[in-house]
Amino acid sequence: MSGYWFRLRDRVALVAALVAPFLVALVLVPFRTGLSATNEALILVVAVVAVAAMGSRAAGALAALSAAAWFDFFLTRPYQQFAISDRADVETAVLLLIVGLIVSQLAVRARRLQAVVVTDAAHLSSLQGTARLAEDGGSPEAVVEYVRQELVGLLGLRGCRFEYGTLIGHLPRLEHGGGLWLRRPGRITEYADWPDGETELRVVGGGHYYGRFLLDPRPGSPLPSEEARLVAVALAAQAGSALDTAGLSHQG
């Protein structure tokens, strides 16, 4: 669902990159004789920043180009033509394009940094929640269930179940380093995307194997970031620690 939202947002941003500067320039038409070209350009830069803040670098760059084009068409003489007769207006249009490109890239970078901070906070909250549940005396089953639910949201899964103490068949495995591998006698396969079917995430505590989470990704969903996969491994380790502390039966 999140991947679909990101794709939809980027498409909307590309449309806004074309439409928003056009509409702002159109609104400025009645005031073009009273406003200086510099002030008109600054107002258009605001539209570029607004588009860049919600979209990708491509949307920001397209908005800057659109703003420069509509500044030329609507706000400089000769009007309603893609031509500029005044040298000062030419310089303003060029500066509008350059400033728009720079500011749009800065806006995109700031938005991405904010997204990283929010994501890191969510990951930390997952780990803290598991640790707090164990410290408060929650049963190992409750810790396992909490981790199972966290894995669904963290990795964008369709479903997830925990299987105690069995190793049936050869399934792709989410490893400690965050990689996805399928290990068979004489053959090792690494995956760049979710493989078909379930992927196992083993739960080990105190050097003992207690079971595995079976991850069921949504069809066509991309592989989560390496950071998210490493957090998933850490959550499984917390579940293993809770099971080991409770002294439940184990294998190996």
Side-chain angles (χ1 to χ4, degrees), residues 114-137:
Q114 182 183 24
V116 168
V117 171
V118 171
T119 300
D120 287 347
H123 292 169
L124 181 59
S125 177
S126 294
L127 294 170
Q128 287 178 330
T130 310
R132 190 178 303 113
L133 183 61
E135 290 173 359
D136 291 343

Side-chain angles (χ1 to χ4, degrees), residues 5-125:
W5 161 246
F6 287 136
R7 290 192 295 272
L8 178 61
R9 185 194 62 191
D10 287 344
R11 291 171 186 165
V12 171
L14 288 172
V15 174
L18 293 173
V19 175
F22 168 78
L23 293 177
V24 171
L26 200 61
V27 169
L28 291 174
V29 167
F31 310 100
R32 62 190 175 191
T33 56
L35 285 173
S36 68
T38 302
N39 288 336
E40 292 167 346
L42 288 173
I43 294 172
L44 284 167
V45 166
V46 174
V48 173
V49 173
V51 171
M54 64 176 279
S56 62
R57 281 189 168 86
L62 183 59
L65 291 169
S66 177
W70 296 122
F71 172 79
D72 174 9
F73 189 80
F74 285 117
L75 305 176
T76 64
R77 291 185 174 89
Y79 298 128
Q80 280 77 58
Q81 295 183 39
F82 288 109
I84 304 177
S85 59
D86 188 273
R87 179 177 177 180
D89 287 342
V90 172
E91 293 174 351
T92 301
V94 172
L95 286 173
L96 168 61
L97 176 59
I98 294 173
V99 172
L101 288 170
I102 293 173
V103 172
S104 69
Q105 302 313 301
L106 292 175
V108 170
R109 181 173 178 81
R111 179 177 59 80
R112 290 185 175 177
L113 287 174
Q114 182 183 24
V116 168
V117 171
V118 171
T119 300
D120 287 347
H123 292 169
L124 181 59
S125 177

Side-chain angles (χ1 to χ4, degrees), residues 132-226:
R132 190 178 303 113
L133 183 61
E135 290 173 359
D136 291 343
S139 68
E141 291 79 10
V143 174
V144 167
E145 175 59 19
Y146 179 86
V147 170
R148 187 194 67 79
Q149 294 177 9
E150 289 295 307
L151 290 174
V152 171
L154 175 66
L155 301 177
L157 304 174
R158 177 171 58 182
C160 177
R161 60 191 177 92
F162 185 73
E163 189 176 71
Y164 283 95
T166 55
L167 277 173
I168 301 175
H170 294 282
L171 292 178
R173 185 190 311 169
L174 180 56
E175 302 278 6
H176 291 290
L180 238 65
W181 302 83
L182 176 58
R183 302 180 184 274
R184 291 177 176 173
R187 182 182 177 186
I188 298 177
T189 304
E190 182 178 8
Y191 294 92
D193 291 304
W194 284 117
D196 294 333
E198 294 179 317
T199 296
E200 70 173 15
L201 173 56
R202 295 189 175 186
V203 174
V204 178
H208 305 300
Y209 172 74
Y210 285 94
R212 59 184 177 178
F213 289 101
L214 295 173
L215 315 175
D216 182 17
R218 299 177 187 276
S221 63
L223 195 65
S225 67
E226 182 180 7

